[in-house]
Amino acid sequence: MRGGCNWVGVVWRGRGKKTRYSSYTPPKYPTVLGPNLPDVWIPSTKSQRPQSSASFPNGQAAAVIDGKSIAQDIKVRIAGEIRRTKAAIGKCPGLAVVLVGERRDSRTYINIKLRACEEVGIATQIAKLPENCTETELLDVVSDFNEDPSVHGIIVQLPLPQHLDEEKIMTVVSPEKDVDGFHPLNMGNLAMRGREPLFIPCAPKGCLELLLRFGVEIIGKKSVVIGRSKIVGLPISFLLQRHHATVCTVHPYTKKPEEIISQADIVVSDVGIPNMVRGNWLKPGAVVIDMGTNLVKDPSSRSGFCVTGDVCYKEAIKVVSAITPVPGGVGPVTIAMLLSNTLDSSKRAFGFS
């Protein structure tokens, strides 16, 4: 994250207690938090509604936004920074992961994150707790990681078992190590223009990285976010507003969602319903960021399942100007943002720039 940090708040404390990469220069593009422009209202003198400049010729295939290659570029930069830090001060970033229970999907996500950390040189620790652990036991583990100077980022893998208070657990994670960006102080500063959170949630941050690196114009564009979860929908709405888009949120109680979505220049979806957004819901020339990850039955697959997004890809690609595939779109960049947040946290702790 560029620039200084205006974050002010309380640090929550607990109880006591080789892949080789070549050098890489990241491309120049706007900061993820967006330009700090003043609000200047200019009354419209037009009597009729202007037509959007977004259009896409019929019959031409949409551009596919390749998250894998973008994520690899980001990891190359991170690996280089970690090597430079280690050579200068003999230290490297550390990430701690807390896993409760034996959910198969949670174990899979954790393994992907641990492998990515190993690729770039981030040291990892993992604390595994049983499904029936008490809230006190979990809080003690998080508090210990808060106090550990070798740990610069803490992830509590979600979802947690129902008997545990998820909000309480996330609030106990130190805001200075909250690399998931879910602490109320980080989320609150993200929502307030003029302030900077210590961390931006990884999936929304990855979404903005894709838009910026792909050169998508955001300022003044109509953007629709489908879903309002604290992990994706809410923070991506904040980020798009900070980039001066006109943002509308579609949720389960929205009436005629397809009419609202059809007006959007940028569509971001994360609702967990496979192929919910049809091609005829989308405006010609729109940019679609599909953040849904859904397992659906597929007899032709060896596993019997395939992964699909919230947007009907085969229909959308005939209408939109650019779209992220599922898998291979936002997912790899989300993992790269976790690595980036952990690196930023360690450099802040080391006082190293």
Side-chain angles (χ1 to χ4, degrees), residues 169-238:
I169 302 302
M170 301 314 297
T171 302
V172 170
V173 174
S174 167
E176 294 177 329
K177 299 186 179 185
D178 170 41
V179 289
D180 265 338
F182 297 151
H183 192 284
L185 289 173
N186 282 320
M187 194 72 80
N189 280 332
L190 177 60
M192 300 177 70
R193 285 180 58 195
R195 296 194 180 186
E196 292 189 19
L198 290 173
F199 304 102
I200 300 170
C202 301
K205 187 177 180 183
C207 172
L208 254 295
E209 284 281 339
L210 289 173
L211 291 172
L212 294 173
R213 286 172 180 258
F214 206 73
V216 175
E217 184 181 355
I218 303 175
I219 294 177
K221 294 298 182 180
K222 294 180 180 178
S223 301
V224 169
V225 177
I226 310 173
R228 51 181 177 180
S229 72
K230 67 182 178 187
I231 296 174
V232 178
L234 185 62
I236 192 61
S237 296
F238 293 154

Side-chain angles (χ1 to χ4, degrees), residues 18 43 63 66 78 158 168 208 218 258 272 284 291 293 341:
K18 245 209 195 195
D66 182 6
I78 291 169
L158 304 177
K168 182 177 180 181
L208 254 295
I218 303 175
E258 63 276 14
M291 304 180 80
T293 305
N341 281 353

Side-chain angles (χ1 to χ4, degrees), residues 105-285:
D105 56 347
S106 292
R107 292 202 313 270
T108 299
Y109 296 145
I110 289 297
N111 288 335
I112 292 171
K113 293 169 185 177
L114 294 177
R115 283 198 300 270
C117 287
E118 184 179 5
E119 283 182 25
V120 300
I122 293 175
T124 56
Q125 301 181 47
I126 181 167
K128 296 181 180 180
L129 285 81
E131 180 88 14
N132 62 352
C133 74
T134 67
E135 196 168 89
T136 299
E137 290 172 329
L138 178 53
L139 289 172
D140 284 345
V141 169
V142 173
S143 296
D144 287 344
F145 284 141
N146 279 344
E147 299 293 337
D148 188 341
S150 70
V151 172
H152 307 104
I154 301 171
I155 294 175
V156 179
Q157 184 64 40
L158 304 177
L160 293 173
Q162 289 188 349
H163 70 282
L164 299 172
D165 187 338
E166 198 171 277
E167 293 301 325
K168 182 177 180 181
I169 302 302
M170 301 314 297
T171 302
V172 170
V173 174
S174 167
E176 294 177 329
K177 299 186 179 185
D178 170 41
V179 289
D180 265 338
F182 297 151
H183 192 284
L185 289 173
N186 282 320
M187 194 72 80
N189 280 332
L190 177 60
M192 300 177 70
R193 285 180 58 195
R195 296 194 180 186
E196 292 189 19
L198 290 173
F199 304 102
I200 300 170
C202 301
K205 187 177 180 183
C207 172
L208 254 295
E209 284 281 339
L210 289 173
L211 291 172
L212 294 173
R213 286 172 180 258
F214 206 73
V216 175
E217 184 181 355
I218 303 175
I219 294 177
K221 294 298 182 180
K222 294 180 180 178
S223 301
V224 169
V225 177
I226 310 173
R228 51 181 177 180
S229 72
K230 67 182 178 187
I231 296 174
V232 178
L234 185 62
I236 192 61
S237 296
F238 293 154
L239 279 174
L240 287 168
Q241 287 185 62
R242 291 183 74 134
H243 279 264
H244 309 286
T246 301
V247 183
C248 179
T249 301
V250 168
H251 51 75
Y253 300 96
T254 301
K255 298 184 185 302
K256 298 183 179 179
E258 63 276 14
E259 292 185 8
I260 297 170
I261 295 166
S262 69
Q263 299 177 38
D265 302 305
I266 300 169
V267 176
V268 180
S269 182
D270 182 53
V271 292
I273 301 176
N275 300 318
M276 184 190 85
V277 179
R278 314 303 301 193
N280 60 3
W281 289 23
L282 299 167
K283 178 181 185 177

Side-chain angles (χ1 to χ4, degrees), residues 44-52:
S44 175
T45 58
K46 296 182 180 180
S47 59
Q48 64 182 39
R49 180 180 169 186
Q51 297 296 312
S52 169

